[in-house]
Amino acid sequence: LGPGINLGGVFALSSYLPMRDMYPSPMMPDPSAATRTNALVVHGDTDDILPLEFGQVTAQKLGAMGANVEFHRVYGMGHERLGDEETAILRRWLAQLV
């Protein structure tokens, strides 16, 4: 993000931050953008494509950069489409932003 540009929020569902060791980077136009960003990270503990640790490390890294991070571990969820629990978490989080 460039200077003065804000996002309402970012969500990551069974995802990860690629090249996480590069952040924050001197190449980032506005490293302080993270401090103005809400982030939701939801990850299943039985994900066999992207292990739970990927989501946990992503949440930790975003938090270390200053983002307001909310992390949810979903028990028994693999790498699949949204179920009722994940949908409820996302809906509640989005409702808080608007």
Side-chain angles (χ1 to χ4, degrees):
L1 295 175
I5 297 174
N6 297 315
L7 291 176
V10 175
F11 63 88
L13 308 173
S14 295
S15 191
Y16 71 104
L17 182 63
M19 300 180 288
R20 64 183 174 262
D21 294 332
M22 294 178 59
Y23 297 96
S25 163
M27 301 290 287
M28 294 173 69
D30 184 8
S32 71
T35 63
R36 302 186 306 271
T37 304
N38 294 301
L40 171 68
V41 179
V42 180
H43 212 101
D45 69 345
T46 60
D47 190 330
D48 58 352
I49 296 178
L50 295 173
L52 174 64
E53 293 78 22
F54 281 38
Q56 292 170 321
V57 169
T58 294
Q60 291 167 357
K61 186 65 172 182
L62 292 172
M65 289 171 28
N68 179 22
V69 180
E70 184 176 322
F71 178 82
H72 289 269
R73 173 185 188 159
V74 180
Y75 294 93
M77 185 180 92
H79 196 83
E80 56 207 43
R81 67 178 181 82
L82 288 179
D84 292 340
E85 183 178 356
E86 304 83 53
T87 301
I89 292 168
L90 181 57
R91 279 188 179 152
R92 183 195 47 74
W93 183 80
L94 288 169
Q96 291 176 4
L97 297 181
V98 293

